[in-house]
Amino acid sequence: MEDPNRPVTGYPASAHNSYPNGYAIGANPPPSGTGYPYAAPPPTTGHYSYQNNPYNQQNYNQDPYSARRATCIRRIFAFVIGLIIILGTITFIVWLVLRPQLPEFRVDSFSVSNFTVGNNSLVSFTSEVQITARNPNKKMKLGYDHIMAKVFYKSESLADTSIPPFYQDTKNETSITANFAAAGSYVDKRVVDGINWDRSKNGNVGFNLRMISRVKFEAKAWRTRRRFLKVFCGDLVVGITSNARSGMLTGGPKQCRAGI
């Protein structure tokens, strides 16, 4: 006997006196071409239209605050772009009118005295360097401050000093002096070997001079912010033989490279 509390599973069995398609056993099949009913699609107008179908409706009501914020962002973005274009145009016009140029530098003389190089890698000397600074601008004046200068042998620093600030008018040349002193400065052994080799080979020692300064360009009411100017004067050959303690720059004045 079946348990009445047992859950029903499976699909209901078809009637024994009918086919699975619903027609009774023994009944004649329908004539060919007979259509079977299907659910008709809903009308496209009236209550069942696509627009009135609640399942196809979506709420796109915009928040007024979001719309105002988007408009404000677009206006700010347009203002920033316009401001950049205006400032760029003004800067370009000023550059065309003033044509600012970097100053030019030249080493006129380089003297070394009391030059000694010990076996303990200590170097001592005094040096005086005469430099000419030229302002090539026709409409702009230049102001220099915080000027630092260093003397190198190749890439090894030997001595450094500071130079007083100065001011240049248009189309002006200014002579400046840099005095260096090294009293027992320690250098790497390869530097000592290189200096001794140069002195014994041809009696010449090559030095490099580097300067860093803040420079300001001025033209009446127009002024630039201060920028760092870098000057490099390379291949300054000083004649110092092995048995000499002083020497002078050989080959005449040397042009330097300047950049910002």
Side-chain angles (χ1 to χ4, degrees), residues 1-206:
M1 183 177 178
E2 297 183 357
D3 185 4
N5 297 324
R6 181 179 180 183
V8 178
T9 59
Y11 296 92
S14 61
H16 295 286
N17 58 350
S18 63
Y19 290 105
N21 58 8
Y23 290 97
I25 297 176
N28 293 326
S32 60
T34 302
Y36 296 93
Y38 290 96
T44 58
T45 60
H47 180 71
Y48 294 99
S49 64
Y50 179 82
Q51 292 80 4
N52 295 329
N53 191 337
Y55 296 101
N56 293 322
Q57 291 181 355
Q58 298 183 5
N59 186 13
Y60 286 108
N61 295 330
Q62 293 186 349
D63 184 7
Y65 176 76
S66 299
R68 289 195 300 268
R69 182 175 59 182
T71 303
C72 182
I73 291 175
R74 287 195 295 268
R75 290 178 178 176
I76 293 175
F77 187 70
F79 173 77
V80 171
I81 292 179
L83 184 62
I84 293 175
I85 294 175
I86 292 174
L87 293 178
T89 304
I90 293 175
T91 302
F92 181 69
I93 294 174
V94 170
W95 182 84
L96 287 178
V97 173
L98 299 179
R99 294 295 180 93
Q101 300 180 51
L102 292 177
E104 301 171 357
F105 292 85
R106 181 184 70 244
V107 175
D108 297 320
S109 65
F110 192 144
S111 62
V112 177
S113 58
N114 300 321
F115 189 80
T116 58
V117 180
N119 295 328
N120 53 0
S121 297
L122 298 180
V123 177
S124 299
F125 68 93
T126 57
S127 176
E128 181 181 276
V129 183
Q130 295 289 336
I131 306 167
T132 296
R134 178 177 177 270
N135 178 14
N137 294 282
K138 297 180 180 179
K139 300 179 180 180
M140 302 195 69
K141 302 176 183 180
L142 301 178
Y144 306 83
D145 61 5
H146 293 80
I147 309 171
M148 298 297 299
K150 286 187 177 184
V151 171
F152 292 81
Y153 174 78
K154 296 183 178 179
S155 60
E156 185 75 18
S157 177
L158 301 180
D160 58 72
T161 188
S162 60
I163 300 174
F166 62 97
Y167 188 82
Q168 279 191 303
D169 206 342
T170 58
K171 287 293 183 178
N172 174 265
E173 286 192 357
T174 303
S175 180
I176 57 179
T177 302
N179 294 300
F180 299 91
S185 298
Y186 178 81
V187 294
D188 194 83
K189 187 177 183 303
R190 62 180 178 82
V191 176
V192 175
D193 295 339
I195 293 175
N196 290 333
W197 169 259
D198 292 340
R199 297 177 70 183
S200 61
K201 182 180 179 181
N202 51 22
N204 294 325
V205 179

Side-chain angles (χ1 to χ4, degrees), residues 239-259:
I240 309 176
T241 59
S242 299
N243 55 357
R245 299 185 60 186
S246 61
M248 298 291 293
L249 178 68
T250 62
K254 297 287 185 178
Q255 290 293 135
C256 305
R257 299 195 306 266

